């Protein structure tokens, strides 16, 4: 059975935290490292992450293991969200894969493919050259759960590129975002021209049908990171990760029926502007800073980026995006590198990953009812929070979780290495680290399908909660693996 907007919106209960308090304490240092202890994975028996006492976890859906159709699970696990499944006891975890090129799109026959172009080139290897096939290999997989238990992984969309984050819709689908800008006809060497890349695609869970593989071009051609849909208005809020020239955008759909495929009918794209000011620089901000907004129209959301003529396989990330340049001329505000974005209870939470006084990340809140943004948290240094990226909110409790993408840090106390972390951002503006990447494979473990190596610097991504709010799902990107973490969340 399908899910109406109201049914999906009521799937979780309202949070006890309506709008985060911005009074009280100044942001303080995160929890001491000693509070996190190596914790054994229930599936592999290895201590892959560190958690507080009383927390536990299990891993699932490792890269290069088999999907339900027999094909291999792709690499680079990234953004995720949980949506309802085919029955009351089923839900689906929809997961991005931030792949660029591989030898072919992933999945077996019947998987929707956006771009099937491929090119074989000669690459140096050892004493000679070897042929290497390149094809767009990003996309989305789905993890099926019944009664809260993981069942299998299925391929849902492929042939896209650099699928970083995205966001769930109120009608139970996933919007996957490409964090790249490519004008396919400008890239030489492909017998069949590459498609354009830099778009948003809608991906339903299996019971709602196949993905159309149709880009939502009116949502803009830029380095997308994430999108959050306000269920009351149907408006989408989109982040751009194109440092140091990134915008925050709003999409007003032409068809606001909130059904599968409705966004593909197009709409109007707008860019955030600080009311009464032009080109406000919002990178160097402090906790509590607040700005009233207006929204300026982007008439050409699919326009060329700056430097499009210089694009090549080795350099696809050049210049300002077309939507940003248009918005900049009209006075749009400037962020640095906007990353995660999440809707909860009338608030859009979004992250600027290298802004603030320490350049280590800022968490903004946008109150959609009054069109106002406020800095809820900004890191005072990498020991507190290092390059925060994805953000997720527990719909039942309002607990805010952010993922680090800083590559790990050195302890100020003993110079030991601290792996990438996940943190809880508290209403008073403090940060509490509750998970640390401890994935250091010094010897072979036949239960772990990964090569030997120290992966503690690999980023966390895709933090999202189960429908009952008890389980946090999150990924370590390399080697790609999904974690299900449970514990006394109210103690954090």
């Amino acid at each position: 059975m399908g899910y109406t907007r109201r049914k999906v919106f009521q799937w979780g209960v309202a949070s006890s935290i309506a709008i985060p308090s911005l009074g009280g304490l100044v942001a303080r240092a995160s929890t001491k490292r000693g509070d996190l202890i190596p914790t054994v994975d229930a599936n592999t028996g290895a201590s892959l992450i560190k958690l507080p006492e009383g927390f536990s976890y299990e891993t699932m859906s490792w890269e290069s293991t088999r999907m339900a159709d027999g094909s291999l699970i792709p690499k680079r696990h990234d953004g995720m969200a949980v949506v309802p499944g085919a029955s009351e006891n089923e839900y689906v975890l929809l997961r991005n894969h931030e792949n660029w090129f591989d030898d072919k799109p992933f999945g077996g026959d019947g998987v929707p493919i956006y771009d099937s172009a491929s090119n074989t080139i000669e690459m140096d290897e050892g004493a000679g050259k070897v042929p290497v096939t390149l094809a767009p290999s990003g996309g989305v997989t789905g993890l099926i759960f019944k009664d809260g238990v993981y069942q299998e992984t299925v391929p849902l969309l492929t042939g896209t590129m650099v699928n970083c984050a995205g966001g769930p819709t109120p009608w139970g689908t996933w919007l996957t975002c490409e964090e790249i800008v490519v004008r396919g006809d400008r890239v030489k060497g492909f017998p069949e021209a590459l498609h354009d890349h830099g778009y948003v695609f809608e991906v339903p869970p299996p019971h709602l049908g196949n993905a159309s593989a149709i880009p939502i071009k009116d949502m803009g051609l830029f380095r997308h990171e994430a999108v959050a849909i306000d269920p009351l208005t149907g408006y989408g809020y989109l982040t751009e990760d194109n440092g140091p020239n990134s915008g925050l955008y709003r999409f007003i759909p032409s068809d606001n029926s909130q059904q599968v495929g409705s966004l593909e009918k197009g709409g109007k794209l707008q860019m955030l502007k600080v009311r009464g000011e032009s080109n406000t620089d919002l990178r160097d901000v402090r906790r509590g800073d607040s700005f009233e907004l207006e929204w300026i129209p982007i008439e050409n959301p699919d326009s060329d980026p700056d430097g499009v003529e210089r694009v090549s396989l080795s350099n696809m990330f050049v210049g300002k995006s077309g939507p940003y340049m248009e918005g900049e001329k009209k006075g749009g505000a400037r962020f640095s590198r906007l990353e995660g974005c999440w809707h909860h209870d009338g608030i859009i939470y979004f992250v600027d990953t290298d802004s603030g006084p320490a350049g280590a990340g800022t968490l903004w809140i946008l109150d959609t009812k009054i069109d106002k943004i406020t800095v809820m948290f900004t890191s005072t240094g990498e020991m507190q929070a290092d390059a925060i990226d994805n953000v997720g909110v527990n719909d039942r409790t309002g607990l805010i979780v952010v993922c680090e993408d800083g590559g790990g840090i050195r302890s100020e106390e003993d110079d030991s290495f601290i792996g990438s972390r996940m943190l809880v951002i508290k209403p008073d503006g403090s940060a509490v680290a509750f998970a640390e990447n401890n994935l250091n494979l010094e010897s072979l473990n036949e239960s772990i399908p990964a090569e030997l190596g120290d992966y503690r610097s690999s980023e966390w991504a895709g933090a999202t909660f189960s429908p009952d709010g008890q389980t946090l799902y999150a990924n370590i990107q390399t080697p790609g693996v999904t974690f299900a973490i449970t514990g006394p969340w109210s103690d954090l």
Side-chain angles (χ1 to χ4, degrees):
M1 113 183 207
Y3 286 80
T4 64
R5 184 191 67 82
R6 182 171 297 276
K7 286 177 182 174
V8 176
F9 184 53
Q10 292 178 345
W11 191 38
V13 298
S15 164
S16 59
I17 303 176
I19 299 177
S21 170
L22 291 176
L25 302 177
V26 176
R28 59 177 179 265
S30 59
T31 187
K32 293 181 180 179
R33 190 182 182 191
D35 294 336
L36 303 180
I37 56 177
T39 306
V40 173
D41 173 20
N43 281 337
T44 66
S47 296
L48 304 177
I49 61 176
K50 297 180 181 182
L51 295 170
E53 185 176 357
F55 281 76
S56 60
Y57 70 97
E58 61 178 333
T59 60
M60 60 197 68
S61 194
W62 288 78
E63 69 173 55
S64 301
T65 59
R66 298 289 177 181
M67 289 191 274
D69 67 355
S71 62
L72 297 180
I73 293 174
K75 301 176 181 179
R76 297 184 60 82
H77 300 14
D78 211 291
M80 299 193 297
V82 172
V83 300
S87 59
E88 290 186 0
N89 72 330
E90 179 180 288
Y91 56 86
V92 183
L93 181 59
L94 299 173
R95 181 181 65 194
N96 275 2
H97 295 270
E98 200 186 22
N99 294 325
W100 181 31
F101 284 118
D102 210 333
D103 59 343
K104 62 181 179 180
F106 62 78
D109 294 337
V111 180
I113 301 176
Y114 168 61
D115 188 353
S116 58
S118 65
N119 179 30
T120 300
I121 62 175
E122 297 288 324
M123 296 189 69
D124 291 325
E125 184 172 305
K129 293 182 178 292
V130 295
V132 176
T133 300
L134 302 175
S137 59
V140 179
T141 56
L143 284 66
I144 311 298
F145 292 79
K146 290 186 178 179
D147 297 317
V149 178
Y150 169 66
Q151 304 295 310
E152 62 185 7
T153 299
V154 295
L156 298 175
L157 174 69
T158 188
T160 52
M161 298 174 71
V162 195
N163 297 68
C164 194
T169 68
W171 52 96
T173 64
W174 170 247
L175 298 176
T176 182
C177 297
E178 293 186 305
E179 191 189 4
I180 191 170
V181 174
V182 176
R183 282 299 195 206
D185 61 357
R186 317 292 172 90
V187 180
K188 307 303 181 183
F190 281 74
E192 175 187 354
L194 278 171
H195 289 8
D196 293 343
H197 290 266
Y199 297 119
V200 179
F201 299 79
E202 183 175 21
V203 181
H207 69 285
L208 295 184
N210 288 337
S212 68
I214 296 173
I216 307 171
K217 293 188 176 182
D218 280 357
M219 282 188 164
L221 176 73
F222 56 84
R223 290 184 64 185
H224 288 273
E225 178 72 24
V227 56
I229 304 291
D230 181 350
L232 296 181
T233 63
Y235 295 177
Y237 295 82
L238 304 105
T239 54
E240 179 178 19
D241 183 6
N242 190 32
N245 301 295
S246 302
L248 184 76
Y249 302 89
R250 185 173 74 175
F251 176 74
I252 301 176
S254 300
D255 180 349
N256 205 7
S257 61
Q258 302 200 17
Q259 298 177 9
V260 178
S262 59
L263 299 180
E264 293 168 5
K265 298 178 182 178
K268 297 179 180 179
L269 189 68
Q270 302 171 327
M271 184 176 177
L272 180 149
K273 177 181 182 295
V274 173
R275 184 175 300 170
E277 299 180 15
S278 290
N279 303 123
T280 309
D281 192 329
L282 297 174
R283 296 174 298 167
D284 186 14
V285 291
R286 301 295 187 273
R287 174 174 155 78
D289 286 352
S290 189
F291 304 88
E292 296 183 346
L293 309 179
E294 55 186 288
W295 298 91
I296 54 179
I298 303 299
E299 303 293 348
N300 298 294
D302 194 28
S303 56
D304 280 350
D306 182 33
V308 68
E309 298 298 339
R310 298 191 299 275
V311 169
S312 66
L313 283 180
S314 62
N315 182 15
M316 288 190 175
F317 306 95
V318 294
K320 301 175 182 178
S321 70
Y324 182 88
M325 288 189 291
E326 181 180 342
E328 184 179 41
K329 291 179 181 178
K330 298 175 180 178
R334 177 188 189 187
F335 296 90
S336 181
R337 289 183 52 210
L338 293 184
E339 299 263 11
C341 187
W342 198 268
H343 171 271
H344 173 70
D345 201 19
I347 299 294
I348 303 295
Y349 297 81
F350 66 100
V351 171
D352 194 340
T353 198
D354 60 5
S355 65
T362 298
L363 177 64
W364 291 86
I365 59 174
L366 191 165
D367 189 330
T368 60
K369 297 180 293 295
I370 59 174
D371 266 343
K372 187 175 184 179
I373 56 172
T374 304
V375 177
M376 179 182 179
F377 166 83
T378 187
S379 176
T380 57
E382 64 179 16
M383 282 296 295
Q384 185 190 32
D386 182 26
I388 57 176
D389 190 327
N390 284 179
V391 59
V393 183
N394 189 321
D395 281 334
R396 289 183 174 264
T397 66
L399 188 74
I400 303 166
V401 173
V402 295
C403 301
E404 287 187 329
D405 185 18
I409 54 178
R410 288 287 172 184
S411 169
E412 295 176 346
E413 297 178 356
D414 57 12
D415 198 42
S416 59
F417 185 77
I418 300 175
S420 297
R421 302 169 297 178
M422 283 193 290
L423 307 100
V424 166
I425 305 298
K426 308 288 279 186
D428 65 8
S430 60
V432 178
F434 72 90
E436 181 185 331
N437 182 350
N438 193 45
L439 212 167
N440 187 6
L441 302 181
E442 298 175 334
S443 60
L444 287 175
N445 182 330
E446 61 183 22
S447 299
I448 300 176
E451 298 179 357
L452 295 181
D454 186 349
Y455 300 100
R456 291 176 296 166
S457 62
S458 184
E459 69 181 273
W460 285 99
T464 189
F465 283 90
S466 60
D468 62 7
Q470 298 302 306
T471 302
L472 175 71
Y473 298 105
N475 299 316
I476 285 178
Q477 189 171 90
T478 302
V481 55
T482 297
F483 292 78
I485 303 172
T486 57
W489 297 108
S490 59
D491 291 349
L492 294 177

